[in-house]
């Protein structure tokens, strides 16, 4: 039984946000990956289109989530289902860091508006 201790989680930073990966192929996961996101105050991440479904659960804080052009304010305890092919923007309009938990399948890729492909290292 793989147990990933918090001290073993791997941290990555992309576009000003921090991603702390817990479940990855390198940690023993066969189908899913999961990470905690730390979205700093004032950050607006670039719009990106995802290749796989994501389940985005807000643990703490408040965010503006724009999904395929529709913006919703989410607060701690809310969950957003992001379907494959959806375009997502995450913005933290508050004065404090927001914390999320995201689960998706291994192999997720994202494309920015300019076509740049991002294959987050914690999903492969």
């Amino acid at each position: 039984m793989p147990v990933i201790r918090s001290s073993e989680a791997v941290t990555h930073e992309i576009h000003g946000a921090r991603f702390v990966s817990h479940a990855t192929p390198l940690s023993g996961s066969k189908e899913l990956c999961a990470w905690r996101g730390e979205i700093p105050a004032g950050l607006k991440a670039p719009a990106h289109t995802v290749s796989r479904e994501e389940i985005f659960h807000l643990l703490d804080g408040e965010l503006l989530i724009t999904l395929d052009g529709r913006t919703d304010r989410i607060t701690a305890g809310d969950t957003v289902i992001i379907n494959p092919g959806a375009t997502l923007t995450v913005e933290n309009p508050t004065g404090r860091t927001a914390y999320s938990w995201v689960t998706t399948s291994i192999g997720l890729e994202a494309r920015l508006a300019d076509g740049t492909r991002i294959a987050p290292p914690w999903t492969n």
Side-chain angles (χ1 to χ4, degrees), residues 96-115:
R96 65 186 188 99
T97 299
Y99 297 89
S100 65
W101 184 261
V102 178
T103 303
T104 190
S105 54
I106 291 169
L108 171 84
E109 292 184 355
R111 289 206 182 268
L112 300 179
D114 68 1

Side-chain angles (χ1 to χ4, degrees), residues 8-9 16 18 21 48-49 53 64 72-73 81-83 89 95 103 108:
E8 298 169 332
R18 177 176 291 149
S21 60
H48 58 285
T49 302
E53 183 176 66
L64 294 176
D72 282 290
R73 181 175 297 273
I81 298 171
I82 304 155
N83 291 309
T89 303
T103 303
L108 171 84

Side-chain angles (χ1 to χ4, degrees), residues 27-114:
S27 66
S29 182
K30 302 292 184 211
E31 296 181 16
L32 301 174
C33 50
W35 63 87
R36 186 182 75 241
E38 300 174 6
I39 303 98
L43 179 76
K44 182 173 183 179
H48 58 285
T49 302
V50 297
S51 64
R52 310 232 175 175
E53 183 176 66
E54 286 185 11
I55 305 301
F56 184 104
H57 181 76
L58 192 59
L59 298 169
D60 186 42
E62 188 174 320
L63 295 172
L64 294 176
I65 300 286
T66 302
L67 190 58
D68 289 335
R70 177 184 166 180
T71 302
D72 282 290
R73 181 175 297 273
I74 65 168
T75 58
D78 291 345
T79 300
V80 179
I81 298 171
I82 304 155
N83 291 309
T87 299
L88 170 72
T89 303
V90 177
E91 180 179 0
N92 182 349
T94 74
R96 65 186 188 99
T97 299
Y99 297 89
S100 65
W101 184 261
V102 178
T103 303
T104 190
S105 54
I106 291 169
L108 171 84
E109 292 184 355
R111 289 206 182 268
L112 300 179
D114 68 1

